[in-house]
Amino acid sequence: AMTPSGAVLRSLAPTGVLRAGINLSNFLLVPSRGPGGEPVGVAPDLAAALATRLDLPLELVPYENPGLLGDDALKGKWDIGLIGAEPKRAETIAFTAGAYCEIEATYLVPPDSELRRLDQVNVRGNRVVVSARSAYGVWLEANLDLAELRPTATPGLDLSRELYLEELAAGGEEGRSSLALAGLRPWLLKQQPELGGTILDGQFMSVQQAMGVPRNDDDEVQPEVVGLLSEFVEEAKRTGLVEELIERHGAKGKLSVAPPCP
């Protein structure tokens, strides 16, 4: 087991139980549920490995989507959150120095689209449909300055697929050529048989799946806590644990182990 000081453990898990916030909407990290409805996958297993290393009992705190998990950061509902690290979330969550795995985000475009490359999407007149408050959606909000971003009214992958189909039906021929659906490549691959169209090569960004703690600038021990979690994440990559969990849960070729932190 890792042997952090009592102060570090109290800061990390004030109740004596490690409460891990898990995002259920990421089907790559939480592909299934156990007999009691509990989340099963890479994220819960990694949280369990951390709890074991720290010699703490584990409680999983499930959330329907990452936005809700992020909203609870400062409400004392969870001690560690396993969620895509991005700057907006970092305002309330102190993330590990490196991610444990990453997932490519790209676009699906209709069959007859003139959009063939990633760099053709961010152009005036184009519309990009995306699930609200997803890590890649937040990235697009900050970086898509010419195309029009069409986020769903509430977070949801199914909602983004429906919105894309609505836009497709309403758009006419010209509209079809200026439309794209943003998503994680593995999810877009699952949609492709039904939606048709082309998934563009490359990635406009990759979602960095990391661990974080509720940010508390008044807690002098917090940098040590984040250091401890960062060390755990780097070790989990180095020893092959993350790779092993990806294989165990059938996510090989969909999730990649994040590169080591410099």
Side-chain angles (χ1 to χ4, degrees):
M2 291 173 138
T3 48
S5 70
V8 165
L9 277 180
R10 278 192 299 279
S11 168
L12 176 60
T15 65
V17 172
L18 186 66
R19 299 169 303 166
I22 303 286
N23 166 27
L24 298 179
S25 72
N26 191 322
F27 66 96
L28 295 168
L29 292 171
V30 188
S32 60
R33 308 283 180 272
E38 68 278 7
V40 171
V42 174
D45 278 2
L46 197 62
L50 175 64
T52 302
R53 288 297 308 277
L54 296 173
D55 206 13
L56 287 169
L58 176 72
E59 180 193 337
L60 298 177
V61 185
Y63 287 91
E64 283 308 315
N65 64 63
L68 295 173
L69 196 163
D71 288 345
D72 269 0
L74 303 181
K75 293 180 188 167
K77 301 275 177 70
W78 52 263
D79 304 314
I80 60 163
L82 289 90
I83 186 174
E86 45 85 13
K88 188 88 189 100
R89 290 177 187 160
E91 291 169 13
T92 54
I93 300 173
F95 285 107
T96 46
Y100 61 90
C101 69
E102 50 185 27
I103 315 164
E104 284 191 353
T106 182
Y107 303 106
L108 179 140
V109 297
D112 46 4
S113 177
E114 287 165 19
L115 302 175
R116 287 280 167 257
R117 298 193 318 272
L118 288 170
D119 61 8
Q120 295 173 322
V121 175
N122 188 22
V123 172
R124 280 190 207 290
N126 288 345
R127 290 157 305 146
V128 175
V129 172
V130 67
S131 173
R133 301 187 72 185
S134 54
Y136 50 91
V138 173
W139 187 92
L140 287 171
E141 271 173 33
N143 293 278
L144 205 70
D145 52 348
L146 299 174
E148 184 192 347
L149 193 61
R150 304 296 299 271
T152 53
T154 53
L157 294 173
D158 291 346
L159 294 174
S160 69
R161 185 184 60 223
E162 285 163 28
L163 182 58
Y164 171 78
L165 288 170
E166 282 168 26
E167 292 275 329
L168 204 54
E173 200 165 319
E174 194 183 327
R176 282 204 294 280
S177 205
S178 62
L179 187 64
L181 172 62
L184 300 176
R185 179 178 296 283
W187 180 76
L188 292 173
L189 284 166
K190 271 171 77 172
Q191 307 311 310
Q192 200 174 18
E194 184 197 335
L195 297 178
T198 308
I199 296 171
L200 301 187
D201 287 341
Q203 57 179 55
F204 61 79
M205 61 90 75
S206 64
V207 179
Q208 302 290 310
Q209 292 292 337
M211 279 185 178
V213 296
R215 187 178 283 287
N216 178 1
D217 295 333
D218 297 332
D219 180 357
E220 290 168 8
V221 187
Q222 185 152 81
E224 261 184 87
V225 172
V226 176
L228 177 81
L229 296 181
S230 298
E231 188 188 322
F232 170 77
V233 165
E234 294 310 306
E235 180 191 286
K237 292 185 287 192
R238 195 172 58 244
T239 59
L241 172 63
V242 176
E243 184 69 50
E244 182 193 313
L245 294 180
I246 287 171
E247 284 186 25
R248 180 188 304 169
H249 294 289
K252 200 165 169 54
K254 299 170 188 170
L255 290 174
S256 323
V257 180
C261 199

